[in-house]
Amino acid sequence: MTGSGRDRDAHGRARQARPRDALGRPLAYGAEGVEPVSEDPLPPVETIRAARELVDGGRPFAAHEVFEARWKAGPAEERDLWQGLAQVCVAVTHAARGNRIGAERLADRAAKRFTAYAATGRTTYGLDLDDVMEWTRSQIA
């Protein structure tokens, strides 16, 4: 941590050094949290696999971070896909934290991104976006 009170890496970029629980909530310094995920982007299919494993393991917030790394590194044409998937994970995180209104709002945003992305006809890397939204809504309900 720097003198500014914010965690920074050697290049001055903000980094969160505090440990986090499985739903991404910060814990006290020194507490034992879950293993952080890498900030390095994975190839698309590996991104989906890694995020799915995290969600299945009860870590949707970490899955959001995996998708976020992909959309920041990927082509602009795929941004709606990866941001939508990240928003799905945040929606599920909000639901697990008991914030149903926040979960519904994020799910609505994800659905809009998926609609926009589907209209481009680009690959979804084997995902059925309608199925993803159906699953998301079931997690929120």
Side-chain angles (χ1 to χ4, degrees):
M1 186 158 30
T2 66
S4 69
R6 295 193 66 196
D7 299 325
R8 301 276 177 181
D9 68 11
H11 303 287
R13 291 184 298 250
R15 296 289 185 243
Q16 181 54 263
R18 285 177 64 181
R20 294 186 174 266
D21 71 8
L23 293 177
R25 293 174 289 223
L27 301 171
Y29 286 103
E32 187 172 333
V34 295
E35 183 72 24
V37 296
S38 172
E39 294 181 11
D40 295 329
L42 298 169
V45 173
E46 287 181 47
T47 296
I48 293 166
R49 180 196 49 75
R52 182 174 283 152
E53 287 175 6
L54 287 163
V55 169
D56 289 347
R59 297 186 58 200
F61 186 81
H64 140 267
E65 292 176 326
V66 170
F67 285 130
E68 183 176 60
R70 177 77 241 144
W71 75 254
K72 287 182 176 180
E77 299 83 21
E78 292 183 0
R79 186 173 184 161
D80 279 334
L81 173 65
W82 302 114
Q83 282 187 330
L85 290 166
Q87 287 172 325
V88 159
C89 293
V90 176
V92 172
T93 300
H94 278 297
R97 291 177 178 176
N99 179 4
R100 186 173 178 162
I101 292 172
E104 289 172 353
R105 286 182 181 158
L106 264 294
D108 290 346
R109 289 183 200 159
K112 287 177 185 173
R113 288 197 182 277
F114 290 161
T115 298
Y117 187 75
T120 70
R122 294 188 178 279
T123 184
T124 59
Y125 299 98
L127 293 174
D128 181 317
L129 299 180
D130 290 332
D131 286 350
V132 171
M133 284 312 304
E134 184 177 319
W135 175 85
T136 303
R137 301 277 186 211
S138 76
Q139 298 301 300
I140 293 170

